[in-house]
Amino acid sequence: MRHKPPLWLRAPSRFAGLGKTQARLLLALALLLVLLSFQALFLPPLIASEGASNAAAGDGDLLLYESIVSGLHAGGDYYSVAADLLRAGNYPLRPFVTFRLPTLAVVQASLPPFLVASLMIAIAAAAGVVWLNRLRADALGSAPALLVGAVMLAGGLIAFVQTGLWAFHEFWAAPLIALSLGLRRPGRWESAAAIGLMAVLIRETALVYLVVMAVFAWTEGERREALGWGAAIGLFGVALTFHAIAVAGITTPFDPASGGWSGLHGFGLFVRSITLATALLAVPLWIAAPLVALALFGWLGWRDPLGLRVAATLAGYAVVIATFGRLDTFYWGVMAAPLLLVGLVFVPDSLRDLGVAALDRRRVRVQRIVR
């Protein structure tokens, strides 16, 4: 099938030229995601974290992390300070993952507040600049398309320049993941892997991203890159082991345990999480929900290996949140926020190409010639 000219991408979408059956299955997937997104409208209200019953949602955690940094400023030991504050706030102390890795708090405690805020903005700005250049060079073929892409990028990064949230680990790890993805190119993966390691040493859930990148490198035959990502995962494993040992030395069997991570709230919780972490917060949920679904699907349509990596990373977080997220861990969605909305710029070409393929009525005619 001859490809139709792109609507506003530099090249036809990944779906151009697909067979009728494949196109219809992918359209069914897009429709299914949109339908599932409306589950967000029926979820119970999102609540504060365990132990933060006396605070508005999120405020308790923010105060906790700020207090830990203040304790380190005063010369305290990270694990002793964190354990005392967790107990004082009636937070769970078991298992060990209820304690954040000390990386971010130690760095923040060693820097003046203005430098912490400046660094937070700089990381988000760097991710935005890298991705805007990447979209301009490899994806979007016109000024209007680039403008829309820039708006979508800004809508995903807007929360990460709110310096009042400097103590939240996700607001550092998420833009680092976005920056890492934007820097990665075939044969040039080292800086991306190093930044990915930084992200996972700040927030453990960045492991989803490292695993995705390692798997894609291996399946694409990039063995050296796959080993590099594997090494980053291994270093994180070592750090997490020492972290677990340190937590075990400061907690007791009588400390409260977490309620577990088996929320099973479905795709709707991922959608709600994204709307709270992006500019979609300003849009009614019944409009924002299908936009989240279409944005996720849109990344599949970019005819570039990076498009699949982004889509797989976002889908990984969607699965984790849908399966394990609780109503008080909705902030996990922050990890997928920086880039998700950009997927909307790939939707027009993707749906047009799928529609053309799905409605293809050409017939193969066999003519027998008798001599």
Side-chain angles (χ1 to χ4, degrees), residues 189-216:
W189 54 269
E190 293 86 353
S191 59
I195 294 172
L197 178 59
M198 293 180 197
V200 80
L201 290 177
I202 291 174
R203 187 63 172 105
E204 304 90 329
T205 50
L207 180 63
V208 172
Y209 167 63
L210 267 63
V211 170
V212 166
M213 297 299 277
V215 169
F216 269 86

Side-chain angles (χ1 to χ4, degrees), residues 30-197:
L31 179 60
L32 177 62
L33 287 174
V34 169
L35 292 176
L36 289 175
S37 73
F38 287 111
Q39 182 209 356
L41 277 66
F42 304 101
L43 285 177
L46 303 184
I47 59 177
S49 296
E50 292 179 283
S53 56
N54 61 341
D59 290 347
D61 287 352
L62 182 60
L63 179 60
L64 170 68
Y65 301 139
E66 290 175 347
S67 299
I68 289 174
V69 174
S70 297
L72 296 184
H73 262 304
D77 167 73
Y78 172 78
Y79 290 100
S80 298
V81 169
D84 289 344
L85 289 169
L86 287 169
R87 291 188 182 104
N90 295 318
Y91 285 89
L93 283 82
R94 295 181 297 123
F96 71 93
V97 290
T98 56
F99 284 70
R100 294 287 184 265
L101 286 165
T103 315
L104 183 63
V106 170
V107 171
Q108 290 173 334
S110 66
L111 298 174
F114 82 91
L115 195 53
V116 171
S118 300
L119 186 58
M120 182 179 180
I121 293 173
I123 293 173
V129 169
V130 165
W131 267 101
L132 195 59
N133 287 334
R134 194 74 187 261
L135 292 171
R136 178 181 56 81
D138 300 336
L140 304 178
S142 66
L146 187 60
L147 177 61
V148 173
V151 171
M152 296 298 103
L153 189 58
L157 287 169
I158 189 170
F160 299 93
V161 295
Q162 298 181 36
T163 55
L165 300 173
W166 61 269
F168 273 120
H169 300 72
E170 288 80 4
F171 285 86
W172 295 82
L176 284 172
I177 289 175
L179 179 60
S180 173
L181 275 165
L183 290 174
R184 190 270 170 191
R185 289 183 180 273
R188 287 162 37 188
W189 54 269
E190 293 86 353
S191 59
I195 294 172
L197 178 59

Side-chain angles (χ1 to χ4, degrees), residues 100-349:
R100 294 287 184 265
L101 286 165
T103 315
L104 183 63
V106 170
V107 171
Q108 290 173 334
S110 66
L111 298 174
F114 82 91
L115 195 53
V116 171
S118 300
L119 186 58
M120 182 179 180
I121 293 173
I123 293 173
V129 169
V130 165
W131 267 101
L132 195 59
N133 287 334
R134 194 74 187 261
L135 292 171
R136 178 181 56 81
D138 300 336
L140 304 178
S142 66
L146 187 60
L147 177 61
V148 173
V151 171
M152 296 298 103
L153 189 58
L157 287 169
I158 189 170
F160 299 93
V161 295
Q162 298 181 36
T163 55
L165 300 173
W166 61 269
F168 273 120
H169 300 72
E170 288 80 4
F171 285 86
W172 295 82
L176 284 172
I177 289 175
L179 179 60
S180 173
L181 275 165
L183 290 174
R184 190 270 170 191
R185 289 183 180 273
R188 287 162 37 188
W189 54 269
E190 293 86 353
S191 59
I195 294 172
L197 178 59
M198 293 180 197
V200 80
L201 290 177
I202 291 174
R203 187 63 172 105
E204 304 90 329
T205 50
L207 180 63
V208 172
Y209 167 63
L210 267 63
V211 170
V212 166
M213 297 299 277
V215 169
F216 269 86
W218 186 266
T219 57
E220 292 172 358
E222 300 288 346
R223 296 294 187 258
R224 187 176 177 183
E225 180 184 353
L227 290 175
W229 289 103
I233 294 171
L235 288 172
F236 166 68
V238 171
L240 194 64
T241 299
F242 281 107
H243 176 64
I245 293 171
V247 171
I250 205 72
T251 55
T252 74
F254 302 103
D255 286 317
S258 171
W261 291 273
S262 56
L264 295 175
H265 289 290
F267 187 59
L269 182 58
F270 174 74
V271 171
R272 285 281 293 276
S273 301
I274 292 296
T275 60
L276 292 173
T278 65
L280 290 178
L281 183 61
V283 178
L285 186 57
W286 63 271
I287 296 176
L291 290 179
V292 171
L294 289 173
L296 178 60
F297 182 80
W299 277 108
L300 290 173
W302 185 19
R303 191 183 287 270
D304 187 289
L306 184 57
L308 289 180
R309 289 172 182 251
V310 176
T313 300
L314 298 176
Y317 283 112
V319 170
V320 167
I321 293 170
T323 307
F324 302 107
R326 302 189 307 254
L327 296 178
D328 62 347
T329 59
F330 58 89
Y331 53 85
W332 290 2
V334 170
M335 299 296 286
L339 296 178
L340 187 131
L341 296 185
V342 179
L344 289 171
V345 301
F346 303 109
V347 170
D349 279 272

